[in-house]
Amino acid sequence: QPICDIYPPNLTKYANTLLTPECFLCYFYYGALVRIGMKQYVQALQLLLVVLTCPASCLSAIQVDAYKKFVLLSLKASGELHSLPMYASHIVQRCAKAPSYAADIAEAFKQGDVAALKRLVEEKAQAIQADDNMGLAKQAVESLQRHKVRMLTNTYLTLSLAEIAREIGSEDSQAPDVERLLFDMISAGEINARID
């Protein structure tokens, strides 16, 4: 059984040990990081939700970082921002409503403008890199491009690579970049298409 599939056992019998709330949050946070590294995004989102829904009377830095990763990962995995459950602590709910680069990225993603999303990621690059979230931010941009390509396949029968690049907001991209994106999507079964 993989170590990341092992959840902490019944914690009540360990009540007299030195298990702190920080240890509990770290266990699930690091488990989420492992799942992200393994590209198991749904399981990573579940582990991040455990961190975010842990009862709290004050906000932990672990929860703040987990929320940023939760936003970026939910954009990457499902193309939309998942809302926090009602049973999440009011402190975490307030953190989710506070201005941050993650909220800005989620709003830009919702608008559907790839160029604006890329500009935002570039503008906020210093803060994103400080949190070690640049990889997830770039994957969120790519996810928006993939979403737009999927929408194009529902509308058009044939399109040139230049037209696809213009429609997905990647006019600065070269034809090989768009062709590589299409090839990846076709090979992953995300779209049913043929490149001529």
Side-chain angles (χ1 to χ4, degrees), residues 16-17 38 49 87-88 93 105 115 134 136 147 178 192:
N16 294 330
T17 63
M38 296 171 62
L49 269 177
Y87 53 87
Q93 296 279 3
I105 288 173
M134 185 55 83
L136 283 176
H147 175 70
V178 176
N192 186 11

Side-chain angles (χ1 to χ4, degrees), residues 168-182:
I168 66 172
S170 290
E171 294 175 19
D172 56 335
S173 294
Q174 303 295 326
D177 295 336
V178 176
E179 189 173 356
R180 188 176 316 112
L181 174 65
L182 289 173

Side-chain angles (χ1 to χ4, degrees), residues 142 146 177-191 195:
E142 183 182 329
R146 288 174 177 266
D177 295 336
V178 176
E179 189 173 356
R180 188 176 316 112
L181 174 65
L182 289 173
F183 182 74
D184 287 345
M185 292 181 75
I186 292 168
S187 61
E190 293 181 46
I191 58 172
I195 300 175

